[in-house]
Amino acid sequence: MTVEHDVKSLDMATGGRYRIEWAEREMPVLRAIRERFAVEKPLAGMRVSACLHVTTETANLMHTLQMGGADIVLCASNPLSTQDDVAASLVAHYEIPVYAIKGEDNNTYYDHIRAALDFKPHITMDDGADLVSTIHKSRRELLEDIVGGTEETTTGVIRLRAMAKDGALNFPVIAVNDSNTKHLFDNRYGTGQSTIDGVVRATNVLLAGKNVVVAGYGWCSRGIASRAQGMGSNVIVTEIDPLRALEAVMDGFRVMPMDEAAPIGDIFITATGDINVLDERHFSKMKSGAIMANSGHFNVEINIPALAQMSSQEPRLVRPFVEEYMVNGRKLYLLGEGRLINLASAEGHPASVMDMSFANQALAAEYMVKNHSVLQSQVYVVPEDIDREIARLKLASMGINIDMLTAQQAAYLSQWEEGT
Ligand code: ADE
């Protein structure tokens, strides 16, 4: 009998399975964890509700949790990021209930979140904190069974820290995003490559010689800036933080306010986590043909309602994921409805970086099961020894050895008397 689900079509399952197995080749750390989990069953008896982007990499995480003894349900963490063939395969081949359809409307998105919560989780696994937020706003009866949660992304961690500060958070959550083996690689190299991939797949424009304006200089945006530069673009960075702006300058980028960048940019990419980074006053200055994409978690960084209002025509879908607006006789293009372009028109981060992110997720879930009774309703980071072990395993999987401190060097670092 097929497990409960709401996916596009189970007929897509075979293709999904091949792609899940393709991703697995690049996920050696998660594979090693899965092998241990299969023996030790650290998640036995745990119900896990996961709200993540439904991708080949996430499928490998779900399989790992399942091998660890967990009962799992998965829903989408964004209406436009689901890979329908993967959703089908998880249902058909892995017997995991999945609620996710690429392009689902907002109501369906929240119906799917509710379906995942009807599973009465012990552990929540979020990418953007929608499960935690829904539980605290409207499903408080579930709090009784929940031992803790994990959170994948910067935006979700910001929301959770705000909840904890207000005393509104009712169970411990581990901020996977804050692990070094997560944000230094996934946010930087993953977002860097997959965002460029998304823009190119959607538009097929040449990046060489283009003025690419990157909004923000956090880990994600610096990845995007560096990869766009590598493709030959003239990269302009906009920032509100003086320290980050200074870093961008010294990394060799032009830095200026968005008001100055708006008339010269050919391609605009936002990844700030904030709202209306591209707004009415910017649209009114942009060149005809300007392209806008967002790679931040929510579709609020580009003020789409204002863009629609300024447009003399209904947006025209001129290619998949490319909508044309007409502002004062100029054509402005919005990619992927302003949703994270790396997952909307491409496949998200490559498996090799998700390997480390999801190793953190699996080990954070195990840590939560072992330690929840001594944790407070706060936001925690993954313990440093776990973070370093993931780095060690990743290097080992690449066949790379590194030096070790000699006894003399270790002693030198732990003393304070010796100087010049
Ligand atoms: N976030 C960014 N890329 C992803 C991927 N490939 N799978 C799951 N979550 C992601």
Side-chain angles (χ1 to χ4, degrees):
M1 210 184 73
T2 318
V3 293
E4 279 187 38
H5 61 273
D6 189 18
V7 301
K8 186 159 184 204
S9 164
L10 292 184
D11 293 345
M12 306 169 89
T14 304
R17 181 184 220 166
Y18 290 150
R19 293 203 315 110
I20 292 167
E21 289 169 4
W22 178 257
E24 186 192 3
R25 296 167 46 257
E26 293 267 327
M27 303 184 87
V29 179
L30 193 63
R31 239 179 11 239
I33 294 169
R34 182 186 301 167
E35 280 159 20
R36 178 173 67 76
F37 272 20
V39 177
E40 297 177 7
K41 302 283 177 201
L43 307 178
M46 287 286 137
R47 286 190 299 272
V48 178
S49 294
C51 177
L52 301 170
H53 300 297
V54 180
T55 64
T56 53
E57 294 76 23
T58 299
N60 279 288
L61 171 63
M62 294 298 103
H63 186 35
T64 302
L65 302 178
Q66 187 178 49
M67 294 308 280
D71 266 333
I72 314 154
V73 61
L74 174 65
C75 66
S77 61
N78 186 284
L80 212 51
S81 62
T82 297
Q83 297 172 4
D84 290 315
D85 56 345
V86 171
S89 174
L90 282 170
V91 172
H93 303 128
Y94 296 83
E95 296 181 10
I96 294 175
V98 179
Y99 299 90
I101 300 173
K102 188 171 177 99
E104 61 197 19
D105 61 22
N106 254 30
N107 286 340
T108 312
Y109 177 76
Y110 279 102
D111 282 348
H112 286 165
I113 286 192
R114 282 188 279 276
L117 290 177
D118 287 344
F119 199 59
K120 298 192 171 62
H122 300 112
I123 293 183
T124 61
M125 198 167 269
D126 254 320
D127 186 329
D130 279 345
L131 285 182
V132 171
S133 150
T134 307
I135 290 166
H136 285 77
K137 281 195 292 207
S138 57
R139 298 295 298 273
R140 298 188 69 84
E141 80 282 1
L142 298 175
L143 288 170
E144 204 179 316
D145 284 342
I146 297 176
V147 300
T150 65
E151 170 54 52
E152 170 78 3
T153 201
T154 318
T155 295
V157 172
I158 290 170
R159 288 174 93 186
L160 291 166
R161 292 226 157 90
M163 285 179 80
K165 187 158 169 261
D166 282 355
L169 186 64
N170 282 286
F171 53 82
V173 182
I174 299 181
V176 164
N177 183 71
D178 291 7
S179 293
N180 287 314
T181 47
K182 200 280 184 180
H183 66 267
L184 291 180
F185 302 92
D186 166 319
N187 300 26
R188 181 167 38 175
Y189 304 112
T191 309
Q193 178 168 320
S194 63
T195 299
I196 300 300
D197 186 17
V199 170
V200 170
R201 286 200 210 190
T203 62
N204 196 30
V205 293
L206 185 75
L207 291 177
K210 293 282 193 321
N211 290 337
V212 172
V213 180
V214 178
Y217 207 61
W219 290 112
C220 292
S221 15
R222 65 186 68 194
I224 299 168
S226 133
R227 271 30 188 169
Q229 188 179 48
M231 297 291 281
S233 302
N234 304 308
V235 177
I236 297 166
V237 171
T238 69
E239 245 303 337
I240 47 86
D241 179 74
L243 203 73
R244 286 182 171 179
L246 192 56
E247 283 186 280
V249 171
M250 299 224 177
D251 285 344
F253 300 112
R254 290 170 75 193
V255 175
M256 62 183 76
M258 188 61 88
D259 283 307
E260 285 172 34
I264 53 179
D266 297 303
I267 300 172
F268 296 81
I269 306 175
T270 56
T272 69
D274 214 336
I275 60 166
N276 299 345
V277 176
L278 286 175
D279 211 341
E280 208 173 322
R281 66 181 199 280
H282 306 122
F283 305 142
S284 63
K285 289 185 195 165
M286 285 179 185
K287 297 195 274 199
S288 190
I291 292 170
M292 291 176 273
N294 167 52
S295 213
H297 186 79
F298 288 119
N299 62 336
V300 296
E301 306 209 13
I302 302 170
N303 188 346
I304 302 170
L307 183 61
Q309 193 137 47
M310 291 167 84
S311 179
S312 57
Q313 69 179 32
E314 284 294 305
R316 244 178 15 125
L317 191 67
V318 294
R319 323 172 20 114
F321 307 108
V322 184
E323 284 173 306
E324 182 187 81
Y325 290 79
M326 189 69 80
V327 174
N328 301 336
R330 286 167 298 113
K331 292 175 176 170
L332 303 185
Y333 295 99
L334 175 68
L335 306 190
E337 300 167 24
R339 298 198 188 274
L340 6 80
I341 196 61
N342 58 339
L343 282 142
S345 62
E347 295 172 62
H349 305 351
S352 182
V353 284
M354 294 314 293
D355 187 26
M356 289 187 280
S357 310
F358 285 166
N360 274 285
Q361 283 284 5
L363 297 181
E366 178 182 37
Y367 180 83
M368 187 58 81
V369 171
K370 284 193 184 140
N371 296 287
H372 65 89
S373 58
V374 296
L375 300 179
Q376 315 290 314
S377 295
Q378 292 295 336
V379 179
Y380 290 88
V381 297
V382 173
E384 199 189 329
D385 55 334
I386 294 181
D387 199 359
R388 295 186 85 78
E389 177 64 5
I390 291 170
R392 200 189 60 73
L393 287 170
K394 189 70 180 175
L395 279 171
S397 77
M398 298 163 126
I400 296 171
N401 293 317
I402 58 171
D403 287 326
M404 280 170 63
L405 288 178
T406 63
Q408 184 196 29
Q409 288 171 326
Y412 180 83
L413 289 179
S414 60
Q415 59 81 43
W416 54 270
E417 294 96 336
E418 214 167 311
T420 311

